């Protein structure tokens, strides 16, 4: 849409300069006016796009996520798939809207919701007190925990052994928050943009442990030799969908849809599709 308007401006300007060549000043004015009108239209268009992004007008719901978090959201071929994507698809369908998935850095998701560029965030996002100051959360749709991944021959056997070690986390996650407490105990926290980058750094011997959510941990461990998950879970967390603070209308719609998906068994079916029961 925007491109079309831009093309229009160009056409107007070009037509203007052609006629303006060796002709009266009046022609130039007309061309300039045409350009101004086109610009005004473009502006209007931009405002409309913003309203659209807020999901009010054209039936599009924009979901912000960070697709580096299997099995909740990850890239598969050219597509972004996973539990959160399917839950969001199901919610959008119930609300009669089309889902648009936006893949951004994890720590940009909340700002993106606050600015209204995204309608909601679904990213294996843990309900957390600090986050509640900036966004509202839906009812939780699943529980999770932080775990420690180490090399199979590591001397780290539990959380107490993290003292003084190099710990890798995904920037801005609850794993980051948890690990940061160990700074007081002489540990160094390495913050990566993607959880898997932390795992890679550990495989290369750059860090001693990774603190991350249990399900992605299982995926990363299953895909790489020589690493394991320690038994002791570090936290108990709930994942929920984040919306702009005060957007009770959307929040209620999401909660209504989630309740239906829970009752019908669809939610569990989506989870079971990606996570096999032990
Ligand atoms: N549950 C953790 C948190 O809320 C990690 C979520 C990371 N999600 C992602 N899509 N990368 O902080």
């Amino acid at each position: 849409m925007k491109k079309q308007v831009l093309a229009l401006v160009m056409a107007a300007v070009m037509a203007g300069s052609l006629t303006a060549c060796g002709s009266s000043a009046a022609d130039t004015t007309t061309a300039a006016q045409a350009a101004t009108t086109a610009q005004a239209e473009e502006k209007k268009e931009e405002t409309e796009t913003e309203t659209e992004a807020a999901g009010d007008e054209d039936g599009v719901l924009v979901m912000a996520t960070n697709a580096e978090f299997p099995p909740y959201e990850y890239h598969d071929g050219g597509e972004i798939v996973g539990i959160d994507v399917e839950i969001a698809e199901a919610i959008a369908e119930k609300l009669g809207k089309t889902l648009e998935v936006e893949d951004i850095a994890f720590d940009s998701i909340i700002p993106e919701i606050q600015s209204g560029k995204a309608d909601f965030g679904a990213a294996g996002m843990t309900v957390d007190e600090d986050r509640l100051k900036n966004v509202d959360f839906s009812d939780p749709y699943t529980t999770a925990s932080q775990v420690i991944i180490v090399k199979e021959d590591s001397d780290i056997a539990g959380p107490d052994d993290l003292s003084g070690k190099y710990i890798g986390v995904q920037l801005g996650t609850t794993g980051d928050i948890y690990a940061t407490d160990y700074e007081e105990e002489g540990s160094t926290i390495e913050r990566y943009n993607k959880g898997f980058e932390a795992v890679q750094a550990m495989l290369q011997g750059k860090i001693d442990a990774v603190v991350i959510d249990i399900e992605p941990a299982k995926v990363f461990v299953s895909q790489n030799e020589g690493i394991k998950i320690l038994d002791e879970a570090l936290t108990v967390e709930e994942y929920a969908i984040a919306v702009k603070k005060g957007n009770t209308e959307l929040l209620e719609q999401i909660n209504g849809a989630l309740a239906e998906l829970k009752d019908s068994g669809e939610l569990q079916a989506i989870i079971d599709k990606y996570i096999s029961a032990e």
Side-chain angles (χ1 to χ4, degrees), residues 66 69 73 106 123-126 131 170 172-174 213 237 239:
N66 169 250
F69 200 67
E73 45 268 331
F106 183 73
M125 195 181 275
T126 304
R131 290 176 183 162
Q170 184 181 19
T173 59
T174 44
D213 301 54
E237 307 184 4
Y239 291 172

Side-chain angles (χ1 to χ4, degrees), residues 148-169:
I148 304 170
I149 311 177
V150 290
K151 283 203 179 166
E152 254 155 23
D153 59 0
S154 172
D155 59 355
I156 300 171
D160 291 346
D161 301 329
L162 289 175
S163 299
K165 297 288 205 263
Y166 283 80
I167 311 169
V169 297

Side-chain angles (χ1 to χ4, degrees), residues 115-133:
S115 74
K117 281 188 202 148
D119 297 301
F120 65 88
M125 195 181 275
T126 304
V127 181
D128 154 277
E129 246 170 66
D130 274 330
R131 290 176 183 162
L132 276 166
K133 290 175 193 155

Side-chain angles (χ1 to χ4, degrees), residues 42-61:
E42 191 189 351
K43 239 205 166 148
K44 198 175 139 230
E45 196 82 17
E46 265 170 21
T47 334
E48 272 168 12
T49 317
E50 258 159 45
T51 334
E52 280 168 17
D56 305 318
E57 301 258 298
D58 66 343
V60 174
L61 266 184

